[in-house]
Amino acid sequence: MTQLLMQKKPQILSGIAMSFLTLPAYASTTTIANDSILILIALMAFAFINAIVQACCYFSGQYVQASFSQKHVTVSLLVPIAALIGFIMQYESFAQFVLYLGVVVLSIGTALIPMPLTNKKSPSRFSALILLTGAIIILPLSIIVAPISIFSIALCHIGLKQSEVPPFAKFATLLTLITSYGLLFYWLYQVINHLAA
């Protein structure tokens, strides 16, 4: 017996050492994991769409007004903060929380981009067309995820306020605006019906 223990001694010691090095297993539910992943995907999608809006606003000269930049930053920060609250309520492990916190910090960083861009570029005669292009790029994504149409609606409203709006751009902007509102209201109608059922 002693001889057998002496022969297995290296295996026993390595097994004990490995038990100290292994991380504890966390039990998780599929629902919580799915909710966290959905929040993560939504936050990344928001950061991507917001980057398109920021590029359109910059190249069309909207950030010439500091108040416009501040409003855009304020609205853009709402989603990462809401996502952070969701992650705090649902994280399962410290490693997962650090991953989600990194994505939130990255989203907050991208949301703050308009601040250093303020007064860097003045409006041009193509401002309405640039804003319309951004709205048209976002519109097909609104068919997949209807709330994204809010970005398209915002760009259309800003585009219609420009001093120089060519007739074709005005017509296309109004058409994009009506389509975006239609998608948003149809989605709201479905949500209300689903909640009422």
Side-chain angles (χ1 to χ4, degrees), residues 7-8 19-21 23 33-34 39 59 71 89 95 101 106 111 114-115 118 131 142-143 155 158 165 184 186:
Q7 289 174 351
K8 301 254 181 189
S19 69
F20 286 121
L21 294 175
L23 296 173
N34 288 344
I39 293 172
F59 289 114
K71 287 175 188 173
M89 293 170 56
L101 183 64
L106 187 64
M115 297 308 288
T118 304
L131 294 165
S142 305
I143 296 169
L155 287 176
I158 296 166
V165 184
L184 184 63
Y186 179 69

Side-chain angles (χ1 to χ4, degrees), residues 36-89:
S36 298
I37 290 169
L38 285 175
I39 293 172
L40 184 67
I41 291 169
L43 184 59
M44 292 169 65
F46 168 78
F48 173 72
I49 300 295
N50 195 33
I52 295 173
V53 174
Q54 288 171 345
C56 291
C57 289
Y58 172 72
F59 289 114
S60 65
Q62 302 307 306
Y63 293 144
V64 74
Q65 300 173 349
S67 60
F68 186 91
S69 300
Q70 290 166 359
K71 287 175 188 173
H72 191 173
V73 167
T74 303
V75 171
S76 297
L77 286 174
L78 295 176
V79 174
I81 290 169
L84 179 62
I85 293 167
F87 291 146
I88 289 171
M89 293 170 56

